[in-house]
Every structure is written in structure tokens, then in C-alpha cells.
Amino acid sequence: MAAVPQEEAGPGPSPKRREKPKNKNRKKAAPVDESELLTVPDGWKEPAFTREDNPKGLLEESSFATLFPKYREAYLKECWPLVQKALGEHYVNAALDLIEGSMTVTTTKKTFDPYAIIRARDLIKLLARSVPFEQAVRILQDDVACDIIKIGSLVRKRETFIKRRARLLGPKGSTLKALELLTNCYIMVQGNTVSALGPFSGLKEVRPGRCSKHKSLCPTLMIKRELAKDPELRTQSWERFLPKFKRKNLKKRKEPKKKNTKKEYTPFPPPQPESQIDKELASGEYFLKERQKKRKRMEEIKAKQADAVKRRQEERNKAFIPPKEKPVVKTKKASTEKKIDIEAIKEKVKNAKKKKLGALPEEEVKLKMAADEKKKKKKK
């Protein structure tokens, strides 16, 4: 078969791809500061979600339910019309079941905001955690969020947990009020949970200090609040400005009851303990006969028994020992030194009988009679 002729490689250069002509007149893009892209300008607010953004509404019905404790039943029954009115503005239905002790929220055909059901779910959760309706209804706003923090599992001992929860509240609620002012959040401590309601930036600060035992929490928040006002320091690290507190209450290791002290090392082995025969040889019992040994043992047993009987008899006799009587204090008789004057008493009684009830004394009667006589003389 004839071979297929191959093309011979010429001495010229190998073929290359066409290169695009470089545009020398193109200007380089100005470098953009990434910090400007990450920061939100002051005073900017996200536009509200309206029906024009979602004119067709939702395809499926969504619902959430939550249980509430028995002590919240009376309050929820009283404020439930207000809850239905607030959720009705967002076209969300709310149902209260007092038999099962549950609250349910569901979307309707008119609901256009897909996030409205999530906010309604947070609303009934806050109401179940003893947050008043006036504060819980703020969750329906776009710039408000909530966080329910569980604090019951932080500490094993119940007593320690109660002390730390009291430390979070402070005397007359002063510590909790300071946290609310610094974070711009409403904080409610109830049972084993802490409910926080406010802006996102404030909720970030509330969660680390939920049951903080450090005194540095409030000063740190105050410094961060002042640093956030400076636009130049927003992108920088704030660690150099924040205070660093050392922990003073260090847990002391419990010392064991029995301390094992190490003995000094000696290359010689310990002395061999004495055997029973060695002890008998030292006391002389080894050379005694079997009858004498038996008699000695019996004497020791009888001596122990006699001591036990004596001690037992003394304890029994304690019940028959009479207690010490207190010395009798002799009462002094009333002194009859002052004699009663019977004759003087008799005279007083006679004078009292002569006088009539309501009658004036003799001197006053005489004065009155003299005054009457003078009046008669003047008239004549």
C-alpha cells in the first residue's frame, strides 16, 4: 500500500494563537476600600416590604404553635383581642386554646409578607415567656429582633444558679436596668430563660452577658458604645481600649483528708516485723505450760468482762441519782411597823354621812349667804 505523504515541517516559526491587541489607553480601576462596602451609612433604613413586592401572595399555608404555662392563662385571655388585632394588620390568624394550653398562628390567602409568620411565631413565644404584650408587639417591626436564651443548664447546682440569676438582676433590678440602657434592649428574666427584645447590635451584647459573673461587663459596654460613635475607629480593633480584669475568685483545690507524706529514701530494707513466737519469747509466755497459758487467757477475759459489767451498772445507776435541788429563797414578810389610825377613819366616815350628795362645803355656804344679805340691803 502506498504511504500517505506527510507534510514536512518548514524552517519557519510554529503557528500561534492570535493575540488580542492591548489597549494602552485603558485606565486602571480605582482601588475600592472594603471597609466602606461593609459599613452601613448612618440613617439608612431598609424600605418596607409592601404588597407590590409580592402581589400574588403565598402558595402554601404555614403555621406555628407554642405551649404556655398555667399562670399565664389569665393574662393571655385578657390581652388576646389585642394580639389578634396586631396580627390581623399583617393578615395572620391567631388562635388561643385554653384546654391544651397552646397558641397557634397561621397565614391566610391575603398574607403577602413571607417573614410575617416568623415574626408572629416570635410574638407568641415572647408572650409565653412572661413578656408583656406592650413590649412583645414590637417584634412585628422590621428593625427589631428577639432572642430567648436558656440559662438553666449553665450550672449544675440549683443554689449556684439562683445566686447568679440574682446577680444578673442586681439590687432592686439595677444591673438589669443598666444592661437595658447600654444595649437598647428590653430584657426579661423568667425561670430558666432570659428573653431579650431589641435591635440586632444590642442582642449581640446581651447574649454574652446573660449570666455573667464578671464586673467588667457594664464598663466594657460603655466603652464600646463610645467607640462606635467615632467613624475612624469602626474598622479598627478595640482591644487596646477595653479594660482587662483579672479573676480574683479562683477555685481552691480541695485538700484530701489523709495526706500521704513521702518518706526519705534509704537503700536499706525495712526491719522485719516480729512474729508471734518472738513476741512470746520477749514476754516469757513461750516457756509457760499449756495449762498456765490457758489460765492466763481466762483471767484476761474475766477482767474485761468485769470492767464491762461495772461500766454498764454505772450507766444504769445514773437514772436513779436525784438531780440537785435549787436552794429555796425565803420571802420576806410585809413589815407591820406602820399602825393604822382607826379613830381618824371613823371621823372621816361620820363627816361624809352628814354631807349631802352635791352639797357645797360650809365655807362656801357662808360666803354665799353673806353676799345675798348685801344685795338685800342695797335694794332697801
Side-chain angles (χ1 to χ4, degrees):
M1 288 179 71
V4 180
Q6 295 179 357
E7 292 182 1
E8 294 180 0
S14 60
K16 293 181 180 179
R17 292 180 182 178
R18 292 182 181 178
E19 295 180 358
K20 292 181 181 180
K22 293 181 181 179
N23 191 0
K24 295 180 181 180
N25 297 329
R26 186 182 292 174
K27 293 181 181 180
K28 291 182 180 180
V32 180
D33 191 3
E34 292 183 358
S35 62
E36 293 181 1
L37 298 175
L38 295 172
T39 55
V40 179
D42 295 332
W44 182 85
K45 281 188 177 182
E46 191 177 354
F49 194 87
T50 58
R51 184 173 285 280
E52 295 174 1
D53 298 324
N54 187 16
K56 294 183 180 180
L58 305 177
L59 297 174
E60 294 289 336
E61 181 185 302
S62 302
S63 65
F64 290 99
T66 186
L67 300 173
F68 60 87
K70 184 74 176 176
Y71 61 85
R72 292 290 290 170
E73 185 177 327
Y75 179 79
L76 291 172
K77 194 176 179 181
E78 186 181 346
C79 72
W80 196 249
L82 299 172
V83 176
Q84 288 179 325
K85 185 180 178 182
L87 293 175
E89 295 175 1
H90 298 270
Y91 303 102
V92 177
N93 286 337
L96 177 67
D97 191 348
L98 296 174
I99 298 168
E100 292 183 0
S102 64
M103 294 178 282
T104 311
V105 288
T106 54
T107 55
T108 60
K109 292 181 179 179
K110 292 183 180 181
T111 309
F112 61 89
D113 188 359
Y115 202 70
I117 188 66
I118 304 296
R119 295 192 182 282
R121 178 201 66 183
D122 293 341
L123 174 63
I124 59 175
K125 275 188 179 181
L126 291 170
L127 289 171
R129 296 314 307 151
S130 299
V131 177
F133 171 75
E134 291 78 9
Q135 294 290 340
V137 77
R138 289 171 51 207
I139 195 65
L140 300 175
Q141 300 173 13
D142 288 336
D143 56 344
V144 178
C146 73
D147 191 6
I148 297 172
I149 308 157
K150 294 179 181 178
I151 59 173
S153 59
L154 292 175
V155 187
R156 289 183 183 178
K157 291 184 180 180
R158 182 70 180 171
E159 294 176 359
T160 311
F161 167 70
I162 292 166
K163 285 180 182 178
R164 292 195 182 178
R165 187 176 63 183
R167 194 180 297 130
L168 175 63
L169 294 170
K172 298 181 181 179
S174 57
T175 307
L176 195 67
K177 190 68 180 175
L179 278 172
E180 288 180 353
L181 292 171
L182 292 170
T183 57
N184 294 326
C185 294
Y186 174 80
I187 304 169
M188 180 71 183
V189 181
Q190 178 68 24
N192 295 336
T193 57
V194 175
S195 305
L197 183 75
F200 292 97
S201 58
L203 292 176
K204 287 180 184 178
E205 302 294 341
V206 171
R207 183 168 272 274
R210 58 192 179 275
C211 238
S212 180
K213 56 186 176 181
H214 300 293
K215 295 180 180 178
S216 60
L217 181 64
C218 288
T220 306
L221 290 175
M222 290 173 70
I223 293 165
K224 284 183 178 180
R225 193 178 182 182
E226 294 298 323
L227 291 171
K229 295 177 183 179
D230 194 348
E232 295 180 359
L233 295 172
R234 282 183 183 176
T235 56
Q236 297 179 14
S237 177
W238 294 350
E239 289 183 3
R240 61 186 182 196
F241 301 109
L242 299 177
K244 293 178 182 179
F245 293 91
K246 293 181 180 179
R247 287 187 65 182
K248 292 181 180 179
N249 299 331
L250 298 172
K251 289 184 179 179
K252 293 181 180 179
R253 181 178 170 272
K254 290 183 178 179
E255 295 181 357
K257 292 181 179 178
K258 294 181 180 179
K259 291 183 179 180
N260 297 326
T261 54
K262 289 185 177 180
K263 296 177 181 179
E264 293 181 2
Y265 173 74
T266 55
F268 307 103
Q272 192 174 359
E274 291 183 352
S275 64
Q276 188 67 25
I277 296 169
D278 293 337
K279 290 177 182 178
E280 288 179 358
L281 285 167
S283 61
E285 292 180 16
Y286 184 77
F287 304 101
L288 296 174
K289 293 179 181 180
E290 191 66 30
R291 193 184 295 170
Q292 291 174 337
K293 288 180 182 178
K294 194 175 181 180
R295 192 189 302 158
K296 193 176 182 181
R297 281 198 296 271
M298 289 299 292
E299 286 175 359
E300 288 176 358
I301 291 166
K302 285 180 180 178
K304 285 181 182 178
Q305 287 177 353
D307 291 339
V309 169
K310 191 178 179 182
R311 266 188 269 107
R312 213 176 298 124
Q313 194 66 31
E314 285 177 358
E315 288 179 1
R316 287 175 185 170
N317 293 335
K318 281 181 182 177
F320 300 102
I321 297 169
K324 291 181 180 180
E325 295 182 358
K326 293 180 180 178
V328 180
V329 181
K330 293 181 180 180
T331 54
K332 294 180 180 179
K333 293 181 180 180
S335 59
T336 56
E337 292 176 359
K338 293 180 180 179
K339 293 180 180 179
I340 299 167
D341 193 357
I342 297 169
E343 293 179 0
I345 294 168
K346 286 181 179 179
E347 288 180 2
K348 284 182 181 178
V349 172
K350 286 179 182 179
N351 294 331
K353 285 180 180 179
K354 288 178 181 178
K355 291 180 181 178
K356 294 180 181 179
L357 291 171
L360 295 170
E362 291 180 2
E363 294 178 357
E364 290 184 7
V365 171
K366 288 177 181 180
L367 291 169
K368 197 172 184 182
M369 288 175 69
D372 291 338
E373 286 177 0
K374 286 180 181 179
K375 286 180 181 178
K376 286 178 182 179
K377 287 178 182 179
K378 285 180 180 178
K379 285 179 181 180
K380 287 179 182 181

